[in-house]
């Protein structure tokens, strides 16, 4: 599609991959609305997401050696034009987002049938694709303002998607509204921060901003910009204590939306944080060092414990997972706050591993909601025997969430502990281990409900359909696979971390 | 034979196949075949430190370190698995069958582990698989007991992992070799081993859990976990002097408890702890003679301890109880079980011609050789004591004593065969110890059957029996009573919960009051904010928007301050 | 399974029947006196051979015999004393303990000898 818009040079389709990455779902979204038939909406969504997935694989394979692809939108040279820039870090995020989206779409059909009213289906998938293209756009673009635009596209679509949960529970509307207010404030802070940067540097291209900042050093405008960006993105990341939109949004959204958001949305926000903290600003600045050390680090540790504690006391599986997500984001932020190669690698790997883990678990929740009509512990008690495959997926996902050796979760926690020890942060390493014990407790509670409690009399619950089990198990097996074969994730994450730590020079 | 396949995987393979087979004999045969194949493999393996090496996460993991020390432990584990599975022929519960295979496989895997990471994996493997043998009893008490067991076993694994990580940071090596106590890393590893080995004050999981397992589960449990810990100590901490004193205390205090304990399976658990003490002393002395003693005693111990647990288990299986106060007079209708029990008792008591005699004496001689005379005296006392409670008390109260009126049928054929085989091995080792000695890690230059040794041992044992007789006939001997005896586990089963409750209540109340106050204050503030800024204040009472906006403000302020100050 | 039926020793296993003498009057005495005799014999034996010893104390005649006897007596008396402090009711830890619960019947195979 984009080949038609670019005439001035003879580029092959392969050279347009960065544009295709975003444009395919972006154009498919209105197509669904134009056709307006709900039967065709899902296939189109799936096809475009799968295309985006294929594109992201190609992109990652090109940059995994550390090289960088720079694509000029419409042929306009940066800094005037918008630049798409793919390196190992965002190619990795692109892969995660498009892969999870495809997986979740495979899963979605039955789940959406059950949870979203039929007349909204076409619009629902359309909003979903907009959300997807927004997230992909955030990850791929090299233009600071463009990040904001895509962030808003994905956010607006997200509000719509969450509100679709109102078919099942009217509180979805309030949750969505709540997130809308919060998200808008966050986005506003972010755009204010970018405004400060523009004021200080006169450019919006990230590489350019980075250059100028490193030339002129820090000043008050840049510092203020940094503070606004960190807090604004921190809200999108659900950094503790800016997390409180997340549990409600995840709990009341339709299951497939939750699975998708949990696996991707906060992860993309973290990517933005990484991009700004490490590439646009120079981590060598003292103010940045202090922000990470005195604000992000303690908040990350508080999140690890506080959110996990709350998760322990939940009585709804879905809500428990939502709080667990807040805690897991704490681990990722902790890795970032360590400001070291290993720490950053740990953060990026955990970003990926936690994505697939939560995808598997939330898909299981979707299966429970479909068959048992709810995800409260008393809805799902004793289902271990009636839904053996779904429950077994919960076991695998749960183990990965705890970080049991042999699962993906272990790899990232191990790296995190290693990074903490490398920095000589003994207490932090111990805290990581200690907080994992909390994960043991909240996962154990679910397993106990599933396997050790009796099924209520007269229950007629059946195993979920194959179309849900297959993607769920792909994600669950991925948890195991990436726990055993760590080559792909570790190489990609290490390259990404290296690129990020190289600071603004990494953009050259 | 099968050099490329880690022995543990044989068991895991079996565990994977088992549920696919039809219930009944096919599964039982598989359960017996796996240990036989494994034993044949172990016996024919070449001695090689790096037989199977895999790379994981950038580490070289040695899954098969075959040397004489690991081989003898692996062999006896295979034998124990065979005997335990034969004894459990009648069990139809696939959970127990799979757990038994995984558990014995993990224990053998751990013995062959050449590095600490592999060891850690199998260490946790034994913990997780074995708890199902307790839960398989399927009662409330067994559930809680299993939980306590699991927490302690997993705790041991976590401590081990912490030690391994520190070790790696300190030395850059993950090899599982001899260590010197001194660094935090080695201490952590030492404590992890000690927990599984039931060191004094870390021991209660053993007496707590083993009597709670199923009839057959206890037999399996008794063989692996603690002996794996002994092996690990022998591998990592041979010659560590503190072990001598720990071991001596271990031989000592359980025998007091064993005398007054009513549940015969718990009596055996206490005496198991006491026997471990002998092995730990051997490891602590650390000479070739002492390590030979530890290895051979572990070998003999697994056999006679399994035999004793089997005989008491058979009684439980037929009568529904294993309590001394409920039993008695069973010799009339279960004479074979009684004879096997007596053989086990004679072996653990180290009667000449029985297995304990030719193995325990190695450790006692080593203690005397190295001039640990007080230790030697304690071990001698413990030897007499073990005869007293395991050798006499178990057979006496189960099969003789006052007639309980119970007239159960003789144990089923497979239990008799399992006990018979174990008895045969106990006697064979006692009568002809040369093949066992040949398997030991070091050259053996020891003659157990000297006039002095035989006569002094008989004096010790018969006069202990005399003491028992005299006390029994004078009525001084404490009768078997239905009771629970407090042990160190009281601290965490009673004292700590009470303490936490006592401390927690006022603190909880204070915290509650404080958080109520904070919440009320915050609410009031938010309500004021909303009253002045908008009509939607009512929502914020139940939804977090207001609080979050406040937090954003605070966080932005703090960030700005940090940025400006630095 | 306390048996309410009258015992039928003829149906006991042969081995069990052969051992019934221990319950007959004087049966226990026979065992006890045999034990006394064996003990006396072993004590005397100490004077009849050359002892290989590591320690001086081992050479003391009947050292092992006396050590075994007195230590065991002390062991039992100490243990009996410990009961004063440590003994609790069987339901002390209930219900979080197996001590007070019956073994589940379905996992047992209780059969009478003459069934």
């Amino acid at each position: 599609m984009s080949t038609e818009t670019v005439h001035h040079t003879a580029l092959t389709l392969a050279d347009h991959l960065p544009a295709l990455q975003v444009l395919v779902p972006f154009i498919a979204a209105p197509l669904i609305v134009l056709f307006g038939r709900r039967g065709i909406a899902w296939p189109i969504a799936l096809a475009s997401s799968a295309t985006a997935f294929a594109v992201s694989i190609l992109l990652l394979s090109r940059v995994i050696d550390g090289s960088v692809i720079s694509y000029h939108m419409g042929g306009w040279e940066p800094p005037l034009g918008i630049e798409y820039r793919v390196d190992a870090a965002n190619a990795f995020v692109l892969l995660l987002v498009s892969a999870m989206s495809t997986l979740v779409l495979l899963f979605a059909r039955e789940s959406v049938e059950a949870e979203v009213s039929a007349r909204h289906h076409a619009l629902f998938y359309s909003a979903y694709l907009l959300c997807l293209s927004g997230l992909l756009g955030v990850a791929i673009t090299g233009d600071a303002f463009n990040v904001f635009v895509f962030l808003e596209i994905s956010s607006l679509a997200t509000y719509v998607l969450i509100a679709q949960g109102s078919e099942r529970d009217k509180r979805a509307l309030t949750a969505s509204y709540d997130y809308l207010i919060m998200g808008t404030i966050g986005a506003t802070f972010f755009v204010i921060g970018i405004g400060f940067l523009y004021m200080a540097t006169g450019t919006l291209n990230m590489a350019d901003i980075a250059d100028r900042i490193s030339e002129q050093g820090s000043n008050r405008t840049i510092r203020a910009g940094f503070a606004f960006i960190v807090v604004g993105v921190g809200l999108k990341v659900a950094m503790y204590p800016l997390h409180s939109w997340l549990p409600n949004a995840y709990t009341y959204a339709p299951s497939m939306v939750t699975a998708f958001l949990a696996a991707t949305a906060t992860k993309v926000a973290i990517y933005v944080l990484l991009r700004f903290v490490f590439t646009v600003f120079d981590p060598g600045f003292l103010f940045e060092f202090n922000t990470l050390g005195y604000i992000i680090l303690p908040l990350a540790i508080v999140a690890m414990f506080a959110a996990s504690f709350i998760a322990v006391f939940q009585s709804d599986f879905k809500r428990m997972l939502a709080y667990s997500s807040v805690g897991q984001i704490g681990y990722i932020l902790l890795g970032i706050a360590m400001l070291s190669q290993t720490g950053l690698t740990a953060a990026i790997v955990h970003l990926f591993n936690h994505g697939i883990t939560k995808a598997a678990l939330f898909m299981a929740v979707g299966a429970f909601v479909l068959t048992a009509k709810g995800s409260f512990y008393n809805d799902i008690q004793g289902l271990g025997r009636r839904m053996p495959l779904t429950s077994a997926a919960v076991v695998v996902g749960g183990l990965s969430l705890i970080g049991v050796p042999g699962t993906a979760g272990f790899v990232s926690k191990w790296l995190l502990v290693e990074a903490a020890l490398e920095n000589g942060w003994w207490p932090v390493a111990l805290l990581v281990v200690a907080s994992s014990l909390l994960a043991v407790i909240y996962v154990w509670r679910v397993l106990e409900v599933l396997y050790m409690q009796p099924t209520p009399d007269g229950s007629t619950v059946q195993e979920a359909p194959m179309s849900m089990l297959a993607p769920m198990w792909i994600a669950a097996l991925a948890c195991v696979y990436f726990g055993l074969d760590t080559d792909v994730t570790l190489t990609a994450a290490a390259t990404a971390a290296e690129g990020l730590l190289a600071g603004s020079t990494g953009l050259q | 034979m099968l050099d490329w396949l880690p022995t543990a995987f044989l068991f895991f393979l079996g565990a994977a196949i088992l549920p696919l087979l039809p219930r009944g004999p096919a599964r039982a045969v598989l359960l017996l075949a796996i240990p036989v194949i494994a034993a044949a493999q172990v016996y024919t393996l070449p001695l090689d430190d790096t037989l199977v090496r895999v790379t994981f996460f950038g580490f070289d993991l040695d899954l098969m370190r075959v040397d004489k020390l690991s081989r003898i432990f692996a062999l006896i584990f295979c034998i124990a698995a065979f005997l335990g599975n034969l004894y459990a022929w009648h069990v139809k519960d696939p959970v127990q069958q799979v757990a038994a295979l995984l558990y014995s496989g993990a224990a053998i895997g751990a013995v062959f582990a050449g590095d600490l990471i592999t060891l850690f994996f199998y260490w946790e493997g034994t913990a997780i698989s074995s708890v199902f043998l307790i839960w398989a009893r399927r009662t409330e008490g067994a559930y809680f007991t299993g939980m306590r067991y699991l927490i302690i076993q997993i705790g041991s694994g976590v401590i081990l992992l912490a030690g391994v990580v520190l070790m790696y940071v300190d030395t850059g090596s993950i090899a599982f070799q001899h260590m010197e106590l001194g660094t935090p890393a080695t201490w952590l590893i030492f404590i992890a081993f000690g927990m599984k080995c039931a060191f004094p004050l870390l021991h209660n999981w053993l007496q707590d859990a083993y009597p709670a397992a199923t009839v057959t589960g206890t037999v399996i449990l008794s063989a692996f976990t603690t002996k794996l810990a002994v092996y690990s100590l022998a591998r990592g901490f041979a010659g560590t002097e503190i072990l001598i004193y720990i071991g001596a205390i271990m031989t000592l205090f359980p025998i007091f408890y064993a005398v007054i304990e009513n549940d015969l399976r718990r009596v055996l658990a206490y005496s198991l702890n006491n026997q471990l003490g002998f092995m730990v002393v051997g490891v602590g002395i650390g000479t070739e003679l002492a390590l030979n003693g530890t290895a051979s005693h572990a070998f003999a111990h697994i056999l006679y301890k399994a035999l004793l647990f089997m005989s008491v288990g058979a009684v439980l299986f037929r009568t529904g109880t294993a309590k001394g106060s409920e039993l008695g007079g069973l010799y009339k209708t279960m004479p074979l079980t009684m004879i096997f029990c007596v053989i086990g008792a004679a072996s653990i008591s180290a009667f000449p011609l029985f297995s304990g005699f030719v193995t325990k004496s190695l450790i006692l001689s080593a203690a005397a050789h190295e001039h640990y005379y007080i230790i030697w005296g304690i071990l001698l006392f413990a030897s007499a004591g073990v005869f007293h409670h395991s050798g006499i008390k178990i057979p006496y109260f189960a099969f003789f004593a006052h007639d309980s009126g119970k007239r159960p049928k003789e144990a089923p054929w497979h239990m008799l065969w399992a006990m018979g085989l174990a008895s045969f091995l106990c006697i064979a080792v006692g009568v002809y110890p040369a093949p066992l000695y040949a398997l030991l890690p070091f050259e053996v230059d020891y003659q157990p059957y000297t006039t002095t040794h035989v006569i002094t041992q008989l004096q010790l044992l018969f006069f202990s029996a005399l003491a028992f007789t005299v006390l029994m006939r004078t009525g001084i001997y404490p009768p078997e009573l239905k009771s629970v005896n407090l042990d160190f586990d009281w601290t965490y089963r009673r004292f700590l919960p009470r303490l936490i409750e006592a401390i927690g209540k006022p603190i909880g109340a204070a915290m509650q009051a404080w958080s109520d106050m904070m919440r009320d204050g915050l609410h009031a503030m938010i309500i004021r904010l909303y009253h002045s800024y908008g009509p939607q204040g009512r929502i914020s009472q139940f939804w977090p928007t207001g609080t979050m906006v406040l937090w954003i403000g605070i966080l932005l302020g703090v960030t700005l301050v940090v940025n400006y100050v630095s | 399974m306390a048996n309410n039926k009258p015992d039928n020793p003829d149906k006991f296993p042969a081995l069990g029947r052969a051992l019934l003498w221990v319950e007959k009057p004087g049966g226990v005495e026979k065992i006890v006196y045999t034990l006394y005799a064996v003990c006396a014999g072993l004590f005397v034996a100490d004077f009849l051979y050359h002892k290989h010893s590591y320690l001086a104390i081992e050479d003391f005649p009947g050292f092992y015999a006396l050590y075994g006897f007195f230590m065991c007596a002390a062991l039992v008396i100490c243990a009996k004393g410990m009961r004063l402090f440590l003994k609790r009711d069987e339901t002390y830890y209930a219900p979080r303990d197996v001590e007070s619960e019956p073994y589940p019947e379905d996992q047992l195979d209780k059969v009478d000898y003459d069934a």
Side-chain angles (χ1 to χ4, degrees), chain A residues 150-491:
Chain A
F150 277 121
L151 206 57
E152 277 302 275
I153 290 177
S154 72
S155 298
L156 290 171
T158 307
Y159 308 144
V160 174
L161 290 174
I162 292 172
Q164 292 304 313
S166 62
E167 190 71 20
R168 219 164 61 79
D169 190 329
K170 284 286 176 238
R171 278 175 289 186
L173 294 174
T174 336
S176 168
Y177 171 79
D178 202 45
Y179 184 27
L180 183 142
I181 301 281
M182 304 318 311
T184 310
I185 293 175
T188 311
F189 274 35
F190 182 67
V191 83
I192 291 174
I194 290 175
F196 276 123
L197 290 187
Y198 187 56
M199 195 159 92
T201 62
T203 175
L204 284 171
N205 184 284
M206 292 202 232
D208 241 19
I209 299 176
D211 269 353
R212 300 200 185 168
I213 290 179
S214 61
E215 271 166 28
Q216 67 188 49
S218 78
N219 58 42
R220 291 211 159 175
T221 320
I222 288 175
R223 290 174 186 206
F226 181 74
F228 273 96
I229 287 175
V230 167
V231 176
V233 180
L235 194 139
K236 284 274 169 195
V237 169
M239 177 166 76
Y240 197 90
L242 306 182
H243 67 284
S244 31
W245 58 268
L246 185 144
N248 283 329
Y250 280 16
T251 309
Y252 299 116
S255 305
M256 71 82 83
V257 174
T258 310
F260 178 62
L261 291 181
T264 60
T266 47
K267 311 297 179 286
V268 168
I270 285 169
Y271 162 76
V272 174
L273 191 67
L274 283 174
R275 191 49 97 191
F276 274 88
V277 167
F278 288 100
T279 326
V280 174
F281 295 92
D282 187 341
F285 284 137
L286 184 63
F287 70 84
E288 219 179 304
F289 182 78
N290 284 343
T291 308
L292 287 174
Y294 294 121
I295 297 178
I296 308 264
L297 176 71
L299 289 181
I301 292 173
V302 171
M304 276 157 40
F305 282 91
S308 305
F309 266 120
I310 302 174
V312 168
F313 294 112
Q314 293 307 310
S315 55
D316 180 356
F317 186 20
K318 205 171 176 188
R319 202 173 178 81
M320 180 283 272
L321 289 177
Y323 275 109
S324 138
S325 281
V326 177
Q328 299 288 326
I329 287 163
Y331 292 114
I332 302 177
L333 291 175
L334 180 66
I336 297 174
M338 284 177 190
L339 266 178
S340 68
Q341 165 81 26
T342 323
L344 208 49
T345 310
I348 296 171
V349 171
H350 197 55
L351 186 147
F352 180 83
N353 289 343
H354 178 242
I356 52 176
T357 306
K358 271 290 150 64
L361 285 168
F362 274 119
M363 282 194 251
V365 170
F368 286 132
V369 170
L370 180 79
T371 54
K373 305 286 172 247
S375 59
F376 277 90
Y377 287 163
N378 52 8
D379 294 321
I380 61 171
Q381 65 172 317
L383 291 188
R385 286 200 181 72
R386 296 197 167 248
M387 302 176 67
L389 289 171
T390 310
S391 305
V394 173
V395 174
V396 175
L399 292 180
S400 177
L401 201 56
I402 298 170
V404 173
T407 60
F410 172 73
V411 178
S412 27
K413 279 196 186 158
W414 172 272
L415 273 179
L416 203 56
V417 170
E418 203 177 297
L421 292 180
E422 230 172 54
N423 278 17
W425 294 358
W426 293 93
V428 173
L430 287 180
L431 288 174
V432 170
V433 177
S435 64
S436 301
L437 292 180
L438 290 173
V440 175
I441 300 176
Y442 61 65
V443 169
W444 174 251
R445 279 200 62 194
V446 176
L447 300 189
E448 201 204 341
V449 167
L450 283 176
Y451 286 100
M452 303 219 168
Q453 290 183 9
T455 322
D457 292 335
S459 162
T460 53
V461 173
Q462 296 294 319
E463 181 59 279
M466 212 29 158
S467 66
M468 297 176 107
L469 287 173
M472 186 194 309
W473 270 99
I474 292 175
L477 290 177
C479 290
V480 176
Y481 176 77
F482 289 113
L484 295 176
D485 179 14
T486 51
D487 267 2
V488 183
T489 44
L490 279 189
T491 316

Side-chain angles (χ1 to χ4, degrees), chain B residues 64 83 107 121 195 218 232 328 346 351 419 503 511 532 554 560:
Chain B
M64 290 296 276
L83 291 174
F121 274 91
M195 285 172 84
T218 310
S232 306
F351 263 93
M419 289 190 277
I503 298 176
M511 290 283 283
S532 40
I554 293 172
L560 281 171

Side-chain angles (χ1 to χ4, degrees), chain B residues 255-274:
Chain B
I255 56 179
F256 289 92
Y257 275 97
V259 170
I260 50 174
E261 178 58 49
N262 185 24
D263 185 332
L264 295 184
R265 294 206 296 173
R266 188 165 285 126
V267 173
L268 287 174
Y270 274 115
S271 90
L272 200 167
N273 205 344
N274 145 290

Side-chain angles (χ1 to χ4, degrees), chain B residues 251-531:
Chain B
T251 60
L252 212 50
F253 83 92
I255 56 179
F256 289 92
Y257 275 97
V259 170
I260 50 174
E261 178 58 49
N262 185 24
D263 185 332
L264 295 184
R265 294 206 296 173
R266 188 165 285 126
V267 173
L268 287 174
Y270 274 115
S271 90
L272 200 167
N273 205 344
N274 145 290
Q275 294 294 304
L276 290 172
F278 284 93
M279 299 174 217
V280 171
V281 170
V283 174
I285 294 170
T287 58
E288 292 194 352
L289 179 63
L291 288 176
N292 275 342
T294 297
S296 61
H297 197 50
F299 190 97
H301 163 85
I302 286 178
L303 291 173
Y304 59 65
K305 192 47 84 178
L307 175 55
L308 285 167
F309 269 119
M310 284 193 241
S311 60
V312 176
V315 169
L316 173 61
F317 187 63
R318 283 300 196 212
T319 66
T321 180
K323 291 188 179 156
S325 56
E326 312 287 297
L327 295 171
L330 299 186
Y331 75 94
K332 295 172 191 164
T333 52
M334 298 181 80
L336 285 172
T337 309
M338 182 272 286
I339 286 174
F340 293 137
C341 181
V342 168
I343 292 174
S347 302
I348 194 173
S349 318
F351 263 93
L353 300 181
F354 292 92
S355 59
F357 182 75
V358 301
T359 58
K360 198 195 278 177
S361 49
L362 290 172
I363 298 174
L364 276 142
S365 298
H369 259 305
E370 304 301 312
H371 313 296
Y372 290 107
Y373 298 126
I374 296 180
I375 300 296
W376 175 85
I378 291 176
L379 295 187
L380 200 61
F381 170 40
S383 306
V386 82
F387 173 52
H388 205 88
H389 64 73
S390 280
I392 306 178
K393 176 172 170 162
I394 296 277
Y396 179 74
F397 283 107
F399 296 101
F400 299 97
H402 74 282
D403 194 338
S404 63
K406 291 184 165 63
R407 297 283 182 267
K409 195 175 165 201
E410 183 60 272
W413 64 269
H414 59 273
M415 289 191 174
L416 291 177
W417 268 100
M419 289 190 277
L421 270 174
S423 303
F424 169 76
L425 288 170
C426 282
I427 297 174
V429 167
V431 172
Y432 187 55
L436 172 61
Y437 283 175
L439 279 172
L440 294 181
F442 302 102
E443 205 65 35
V444 181
D445 174 28
Y446 186 79
Q447 177 48 255
Y449 288 105
T450 63
T451 319
T452 312
H453 188 198
V454 171
I455 293 199
T456 51
Q457 182 69 12
L458 285 175
Q459 283 179 339
L460 186 75
L461 295 176
F462 273 97
F463 276 82
S464 301
L466 187 65
F468 179 85
T469 315
V470 169
L471 293 169
M472 209 69 204
R473 286 173 74 81
T474 49
I476 296 175
Y477 198 89
E480 297 293 284
L481 294 175
K482 282 191 164 190
S483 65
V484 167
N485 293 310
L486 300 188
D487 197 346
F488 188 71
D489 55 348
W490 178 78
T491 46
Y492 57 81
R493 291 173 73 178
R494 265 303 160 92
F495 178 67
L496 281 181
R498 289 272 165 89
L499 187 72
I500 289 167
E501 201 178 316
I503 298 176
K505 261 189 189 157
I507 291 184
M511 290 283 283
Q512 187 64 42
W514 171 250
S515 72
D516 284 354
M517 214 169 76
M518 287 296 286
R519 195 192 57 207
D520 294 348
L522 207 59
H523 265 209
M525 190 160 73
I526 293 163
I527 289 166
R528 273 201 301 281
L529 274 174
Y530 268 74
H531 271 295

